[in-house]
């Protein structure tokens, strides 16, 4: 718990959309390594933050799809008309 990136955040209030957010910085670092094909060089903190932010994003998108705000197009979804993989 003491190694949480939020404890070293320079922002006065939590704003995970800010480029100065420690979570966003770690996520961008992970994404840059992944795009270069060097995901194995990512630190454990980068991986954990990326997984957390991706889960948050996925849950938000599923909520938007359930509310009819924005379709979530994926295999097996009622929005795409495609069958799920066997």
């Amino acid at each position: 718990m003491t190694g949480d990136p939020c404890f070293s955040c320079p922002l006065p209030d939590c704003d995970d959309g800010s480029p100065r957010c420690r979570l966003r910085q770690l996520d961008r670092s992970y994404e840059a390594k992944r795009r270069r094909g060097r995901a194995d060089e990512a630190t454990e903190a980068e991986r954990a933050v990326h997984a957390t932010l991706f889960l948050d994003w996925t849950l938000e998108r599923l909520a938007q799809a359930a509310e009819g705000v924005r379709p979530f197009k994926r295999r097996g979804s009622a929005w795409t008309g495609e069958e799920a993989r066997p």
Side-chain angles (χ1 to χ4, degrees):
M1 182 76 170
T2 59
D4 193 292
C6 289
F7 290 135
S8 62
C9 185
L11 299 173
D13 291 324
C14 185
D15 180 13
D16 62 359
S18 170
R20 293 177 50 212
C21 174
R22 286 293 298 145
L23 295 177
R24 290 291 169 193
Q25 290 172 353
L26 287 169
D27 187 49
R28 283 194 310 267
S29 174
Y30 174 81
E31 283 295 324
K33 290 175 184 177
R34 188 185 62 79
R35 276 189 232 111
R36 288 189 308 242
R38 300 170 136 180
D40 55 330
E41 295 177 4
T43 65
E44 190 61 35
E46 291 170 338
R47 291 177 192 276
V49 166
H50 178 73
T52 301
L53 291 178
F54 183 74
L55 178 63
D56 290 347
W57 176 85
T58 303
L59 293 175
E60 180 64 28
R61 285 294 286 117
L62 290 172
Q64 289 175 350
E67 294 169 356
V69 174
R70 193 169 155 204
F72 191 48
K73 296 182 179 177
R74 62 180 182 175
R75 285 185 176 251
S77 171
W79 297 98
T80 60
E82 297 178 15
E83 293 293 320
R85 289 184 183 172

